[in-house]
Amino acid sequence: MSLIPRPYRVVDRREETHDTVTFVLDPAGEPVDVFAPGQFAMLYAFGVGEIPVSLSRAPGGRRLTHTVRAVGAVSRALCGLTAGAFVGVRGPFGTPWDIEAARGRDLLVIGGGIGLAPLRPLIDTVLAQPYRFGRLNVLAGARTPDDLLFKDEFPAWGKPFSAVTVDRPSDDWGGRVGVVTTLVHEARFRPGRTIAFLCGPEVMIRATARELIRRGVRPSHVQVSLERTMRCATGHCGHCQLGPLLLCRDGPVVGYDLAEPLLTVREL
Ligand SMILES: Cc1cc2nc3c(=O)[nH]c(=O)nc-3n(C[C@H](O)[C@H](O)[C@H](O)COP(=O)(O)OP(=O)(O)OC[C@H]3O[C@@H](n4cnc5c(N)ncnc54)[C@H](O)[C@@H]3O)c2cc1C
Ligand code: FES
């Protein structure tokens, strides 16, 4: 794990939506260690600051792919970088998705908004070895049709089921409308033999996890990726504390059996 930012160069940049950009980064020197799906890097925009960003494509060689939504100073600076620009990279940090737990089982991969980005490397990994897993269902929600990420990839993802829904449809939207939880009843999974992977706003995570548990998925079989403000990312500063957990070290991916009691306490 690299604790000092290593220089990486932007070699590819793709605008996913009006506020979200995917970058491919190539090491300009010594690369950081290989990431696992679900882990995150601290990306440093020179002169502006450093933020946690998950891997958004399965690791391949020395390159890193990240998808960033511009919400504030640092994420806006990163989204503004063009090919040839440099960023600093520390990592890999945090717990990965436990993909091995899904071996032989059905998968429910459920993302809200930018939450689909940390899930994409998991989907890549499953699709690369489909014989090891049961049915793959990918469900995604976004605020509007213009906010949907990775639209082109959806047809290849859900085997047997993938679907998207939006909160606020545009005039020309012919698809589903409503929160992502409403897609669960359409998915094809055997609750007792299912592992679910959830990432998105906390309210979405709580509602979706509750619905899955109501349908018979075990809480420990619902893996969720949680966000808190991060500074050191090495378990020292305490910024990312959630109850007894430091999410940079004990998360971001945790089982819902562990997360649920912590997410229901407002002060945490
Ligand atoms: C483990 C982890 C993985 C992440 N992965 C990604 C990713 O793959 N892609 C991506 O775009 N973002 C990701 N984020 C969120 C990203 O780190 C924040 O958007 C970023 O820190 C905002 O910093 P800023 O300086 O741009 O904005 P700030 O000025 O710090 O914040 C702008 C607004 O965003 C809110 N905000 C700040 N941090 C967070 C946060 N962590 N979660 C929710 N809201 C926040 C603030 O309350 C404020 O309203 C991840 C966060 C964590 C903890
Ligand atoms: S970010 Fe410092 S302890 Fe987690």
Side-chain angles (χ1 to χ4, degrees), residues 77-261:
L78 290 170
C79 286
L81 296 176
T82 51
F86 285 90
V87 295
V89 178
R90 288 196 291 139
F93 296 119
T95 51
W97 300 113
D98 183 1
I99 302 178
E100 274 307 301
R103 202 170 172 165
R105 296 174 183 270
D106 295 339
L107 287 90
L108 277 171
V109 178
I110 307 180
I114 188 70
L116 199 54
L119 291 165
R120 189 167 65 163
L122 160 75
I123 298 169
D124 289 343
T125 304
V126 171
L127 289 180
Q129 326 164 46
Y131 49 88
R132 298 182 65 213
F133 302 96
R135 302 165 182 160
L136 171 64
N137 297 267
V138 182
L139 318 180
R143 284 170 301 184
T144 71
D146 288 342
D147 293 311
L148 278 171
L149 291 183
F150 314 139
K151 286 187 210 88
D152 306 346
E153 299 184 48
F154 259 83
W157 277 356
K159 295 195 174 111
F161 183 71
S162 73
V164 298
T165 181
V166 299
D167 297 336
R168 295 194 306 276
S170 52
D171 290 343
D172 58 350
W173 174 251
R176 296 168 177 83
V177 178
V179 293
V180 75
T181 324
T182 59
L183 299 177
V184 170
H185 77 277
E186 292 186 63
R188 306 250 304 275
F189 64 101
R190 298 159 290 179
R193 294 195 51 74
T194 291
I195 303 285
F197 301 91
L198 273 52
C199 188
E202 231 159 81
V203 61
M204 171 238 136
I205 287 182
R206 281 203 305 269
T208 310
R210 267 194 221 120
E211 176 62 14
L212 298 180
I213 291 163
R214 195 183 68 76
R215 284 170 183 267
V217 181
R218 296 210 334 235
S220 60
H221 288 176
V222 178
Q223 300 180 28
V224 301
S225 183
L226 300 176
E227 287 191 9
R228 286 294 180 275
T229 308
M230 293 191 180
R231 289 286 177 269
C232 69
T234 55
H236 289 94
C237 73
H239 271 85
C240 64
Q241 186 171 4
L242 175 67
L245 307 180
L246 291 175
L247 284 180
C248 67
R249 181 192 66 193
D250 309 318
V253 176
V254 294
Y256 197 67
D257 52 333
L258 192 60
E260 201 267 342

Side-chain angles (χ1 to χ4, degrees), residues 40 51-54 67-69 71-75 114 227-228 230:
F40 67 95
I51 57 170
V53 179
S54 302
T67 301
V68 180
R69 184 153 84 92
V71 297
V74 182
S75 51
I114 188 70
E227 287 191 9
R228 286 294 180 275
M230 293 191 180

